[in-house]
Amino acid sequence: MTGLFGKKKSLKEYRQKKDWEEVARAYYDLGAAAMDRGDLNRAVLWLNRADTVYSASDEVYEQTKENRLFRKEIVSDCAERMGALENAPLLYNELPAEVDEKSAELTDPQLRIWGLLSMARLVRLGERLSKLPGCEVLGELGWAVDVIFKSIRQPVTQEEYGRLMDVCNGFYDFGDSEAFYGGGEIEVPGSEPFEVFDLNGMMGAPMELNDYIDNHLRLLSALSQNRRPPAAESSIVGCALLPDYYVRTGADNLAETPRVKAELSRIWSDYIFVLSRFTWEDVEKRISNYKNLDILRLAEVEQSCGGDRAVRL
């Protein structure tokens, strides 16, 4: 325990000094130690963070690239460990696989709506995080959700298309920024603070948001030019699960963590919903409810699950 505390204390100091090579090394050490003792959720958490930090920007990448020992002992081993963990029976792996399997049963519009509903559940969290320096793009989520939903039913203006492209590019840049991995955090009533870097779980929310919006922009462009549109993707569906936050703050069994269970319930409720004979008014109501949902607020005994039933947290 003393060693682990020491590593986390050093990690905080390295982040304050913006010594990203040492930050990546500290994350790797935490992840490798967790994997060696069989704590695979925390191994995924820390090793993914190490990978994100040392590959996030040209400056950080070049800094580690010049250190041959670092790349041999940490970067290569980290990649090998992460590859091995991809086959582990963890929620980190099982949910994306199940979502991908279920998405094969959906039409392209159904899959796009399924993803949009998950994206809507990040709106309130994004609004809070957007107050932190460099995180302003997260405050655009609500607007982006509304415009994407509008564009499914009717054409958008050039101004809306251009702004949506700016938001898309903003998420791409954000995922490589110090604002993302540098340690910014917000308070969570009754729980430990939420770090911006807690969005790094699964593929990483910034990447998932960028991919989803980019795919939708390419869809709109293809439709306007009578070309074959790109197929919808499913990775955005898990974006509001936030497994890194719960693992980092002490959860040993992700699937039994109350807020994780609540989000899983919403994901599969949405799946049933998109298979139903819904109306656009039904979708709009569900999106509106989700945009007002605080997915981190454990104190709420009941929360709306898309407007059709309650989920007890």
Side-chain angles (χ1 to χ4, degrees), residues 1 16 21 38-39 43 63 89 94 126 144 147 163 168 175 193 225 237 239 249 265 286:
M1 290 297 293
Q16 289 173 341
E21 181 176 330
D39 188 350
Q63 181 181 354
E94 293 169 347
V147 169
R163 181 177 171 186
C168 180
Q225 300 176 43
V237 170
C239 69
T249 56
S265 177
R286 207 170 181 94

Side-chain angles (χ1 to χ4, degrees), residues 188-209:
V188 178
S191 300
E192 293 187 42
F194 183 92
E195 293 184 355
V196 181
F197 211 6
D198 289 328
L199 295 173
N200 197 51
M202 307 295 195
M203 283 179 59
M207 180 183 293
E208 291 168 353
L209 291 165

Side-chain angles (χ1 to χ4, degrees), residues 63 84 94 135 139 145 173 201 210 215 229 237 251 263 269 273 294 308:
Q63 181 181 354
E94 293 169 347
C135 300
V145 167
D173 293 338
N210 168 260
N215 183 282
V237 170
E263 176 58 17
S269 173
F273 171 76
D294 187 346
D308 59 351

Side-chain angles (χ1 to χ4, degrees), residues 118-135:
S118 290
M119 183 173 164
R121 291 195 291 277
L122 285 181
V123 168
R124 282 196 63 184
L125 176 59
E127 288 172 349
R128 294 188 61 203
L129 292 171
S130 70
K131 304 299 189 296
L132 297 173
C135 300

Side-chain angles (χ1 to χ4, degrees), residues 3-260:
L4 180 61
F5 176 78
K7 289 182 186 298
K8 290 186 176 180
K9 183 177 180 181
S10 297
L11 175 60
K12 184 177 181 179
E13 294 173 350
Y14 293 140
R15 287 194 305 196
Q16 289 173 341
K17 296 176 181 177
K18 298 187 178 182
D19 187 340
W20 304 121
E21 181 176 330
E22 289 300 331
V23 167
R25 188 188 302 273
Y27 280 139
Y28 165 80
D29 287 343
L30 288 167
M35 189 171 181
D36 290 345
R37 66 174 182 269
D39 188 350
L40 302 188
N41 277 319
R42 288 179 179 80
V44 171
L45 164 72
W46 300 122
L47 292 174
N48 279 345
R49 289 196 174 196
D51 177 74
T52 297
V53 170
Y54 64 63
S55 61
S57 68
D58 291 341
E59 180 181 353
V60 176
Y61 182 79
E62 289 301 323
Q63 181 181 354
T64 59
K65 184 179 179 181
E66 292 174 3
N67 188 332
R68 294 184 180 180
L69 184 62
F70 179 95
R71 294 197 65 79
K72 179 180 178 181
E73 294 187 350
I74 295 181
V75 176
S76 296
D77 187 62
C78 185
E80 289 180 9
R81 288 175 179 271
M82 289 171 62
L85 288 167
E86 289 178 357
N87 298 316
L90 303 173
L91 189 61
Y92 276 103
N93 300 325
E94 293 169 347
L95 178 64
E98 188 173 3
V99 166
D100 187 57
E101 179 183 347
K102 294 294 186 183
S103 67
E105 302 173 16
L106 301 178
T107 64
D108 195 272
Q110 288 173 331
L111 181 52
R112 291 182 187 278
I113 293 170
W114 194 18
L116 188 61
L117 292 170
S118 290
M119 183 173 164
R121 291 195 291 277
L122 285 181
V123 168
R124 282 196 63 184
L125 176 59
E127 288 172 349
R128 294 188 61 203
L129 292 171
S130 70
K131 304 299 189 296
L132 297 173
C135 300
E136 293 81 6
V137 68
L138 291 167
E140 298 281 353
L141 272 172
W143 178 86
V145 167
D146 290 343
V147 169
I148 291 171
F149 177 55
K150 170 188 172 181
S151 71
I152 295 174
R153 300 163 295 154
Q154 63 189 71
V156 296
T157 66
Q158 279 296 115
E159 290 76 15
E160 288 170 328
Y161 185 91
R163 181 177 171 186
L164 192 58
M165 182 173 289
D166 289 341
V167 173
C168 180
N169 293 334
F171 278 117
Y172 182 86
D173 293 338
F174 176 62
D176 285 341
S177 70
E178 292 182 10
F180 178 54
Y181 55 77
E185 61 184 32
I186 57 173
E187 294 300 315
V188 178
S191 300
E192 293 187 42
F194 183 92
E195 293 184 355
V196 181
F197 211 6
D198 289 328
L199 295 173
N200 197 51
M202 307 295 195
M203 283 179 59
M207 180 183 293
E208 291 168 353
L209 291 165
N210 168 260
D211 286 349
Y212 181 86
I213 298 173
D214 177 71
N215 183 282
H216 194 74
L217 287 166
R218 289 189 288 114
L219 168 72
L220 297 179
S221 177
L223 292 176
S224 69
Q225 300 176 43
N226 199 28
R227 293 186 288 105
R228 184 175 180 177
E233 299 174 352
S234 64
S235 62
I236 190 69
V237 170
C239 69
L241 195 65
L242 309 178
D244 278 15
Y245 173 65
Y246 302 110
V247 172
R248 183 180 62 80
T249 56
D252 291 317
N253 188 338
L254 267 178
E256 293 303 317
T257 301
R259 282 169 287 189
V260 171

